[in-house]
Amino acid sequence: RETSWADVKAALAESARANGSIMLILMASAGFAWILTWEGVAAETTELLMSISTSPVVFLLIVNVLLILVGMFLDGNAAIIVLTPLLMPTVHALGIDPVHFGIMMIFNLSIGAITPPFGTTMFLTCNLTGVKLDEYMREILPFYIALGVTLMVTTFYPPLSLVLANWVPM
């Protein structure tokens, strides 16, 4: 009863602006991913990664570092749309389960999103709470240790991330 129609109209307009900007980013990312795939960048990426090592463990370690770095600078949705077509041929070539890789990808990008210098979630958190960046970093440091351990367990013990996918009947 306290909300007026003018407040509802303003909230809807703000929501439309926010969704519009997100959709514009996703649309541009999808177009860019299509161009990369069309130009054969995925095949070249697979060749490059396979020339470094044919070990799934080495590939997953490289991808962990790459995705955390990408997550620091790029929105997670845009990174998924651009990088998935580039990395999936290598994932299939090395025999890595796509569900396991997808969970790892999202986990890595999430870690990157809370990490400086441009972590989107980090900036949103600091902005909404009014916390300074140095205080944020001091408080989140123990969580980085827990996230790193969890990431390594998820990376090197695929049944952990596949338990639900294997449990649900298709």
Side-chain angles (χ1 to χ4, degrees), residues 23-59:
M23 289 300 147
L24 185 63
I25 291 169
L26 292 177
M27 184 177 61
S29 300
F32 184 62
W34 182 81
I35 290 169
L36 290 175
T37 304
W38 180 262
E39 291 295 323
V41 175
E44 291 175 13
T45 304
T46 300
E47 275 184 41
L48 173 69
L49 291 171
M50 295 295 275
S51 72
I52 294 172
S53 175
T54 56
S55 167
V57 172
V58 173
F59 170 75

